[in-house]
Structure formats: C-alpha cells, structure tokens
Amino acid sequence: MEKQKKGALIKKFSYAFKGFFIALKEEKSLVIHIIVAFFVLIIAIILRNQLSTTEWAILAVVIALVISVELINTAIENLCDFVSFKFNSKAKKIKDVAAAATLIIAIASIVTGCLIFIPNIIEFIDTLNVKG
C-alpha cells in the first residue's frame, strides 16, 4: 500500500473515531445503549459455557446494529438542525422517523436478548442446582 493511501485510510479511521466520541459526549441515548451493551456482555460472559458461537455472533451483530442506528439517528438529527434553524414540521417528521428506527431496533434487540438469555439462564440455574 502506498504511503499516501495508508495515510488517507488512517485519516478516515480517525474521523470515524472522532465522530463516535463526539456522539458519545453529546448523546445520552448512545450512552444508555453502550451501558446496556456492557451489561449484556457481562451476562454473556457469565453464561459463556451455555452460549453457542452463533448466539455470541447474534449478540455482537445486534449490539452493533443498535449503536449504528443510534449514530445514524444522531447524524440525521444534527443534519436537520443544521439546515433548519427554526421549527420546521418536515424536519420534525424526519427526526421522528429516524428516532422510530432506533426504537424498532432497540425493541428487536430486547426480544433477541430474551430469546438468547432466558433459556440459557434457566440452563445455568439448572446446572447450579445439580451441582449444589
């Protein structure tokens, strides 16, 4: 890889990380999603012997989707605020629809988490009862 291309690639990654940390600093919803993801990962680590590789992959993808959709929602909201300096019903509609996308993926992630964790928690408790 040429030195110039490598430098451009590094710049792109640095912009992406900068954008992530800006959103993290400014968006309470993103912070909540990150905290929930952290707790999901703690539960998954506790249940590591019960979780399959597929379940780990599903959890990783769902966490990434929730965080990504929240970042896209944040970008859309910022864009609307940038182009519309005062209240605009169309900008509000755009922002509400983007927020709805985040809500849908968050609900889907909760359902997915329940489908993965509930049977595995039951199995984990059963193994503790057998040992105890």
Side-chain angles (χ1 to χ4, degrees), residues 29-96:
S29 297
L30 181 60
V31 172
I32 291 167
H33 291 306
I34 299 285
I35 291 168
V36 170
F38 177 76
F39 283 112
V40 165
L41 291 173
I42 288 173
I43 294 168
I45 289 167
I46 291 168
L47 297 172
R48 69 185 168 275
N49 293 333
Q50 276 73 33
L51 296 180
S52 69
T53 303
T54 302
E55 289 169 325
W56 276 100
I58 291 168
L59 289 173
V61 169
V62 169
I63 289 169
L65 278 171
V66 170
I67 292 169
S68 295
V69 171
E70 181 60 43
L71 288 167
I72 292 167
N73 178 46
T74 298
I76 290 169
E77 287 178 352
N78 279 282
L79 180 61
C80 286
D81 292 344
F82 178 72
V83 298
S84 181
F85 301 110
K86 55 186 179 180
F87 178 80
N88 181 312
S89 62
K90 289 183 181 182
K92 181 185 181 322
K93 186 188 296 186
I94 292 165
K95 290 166 78 170
D96 290 349

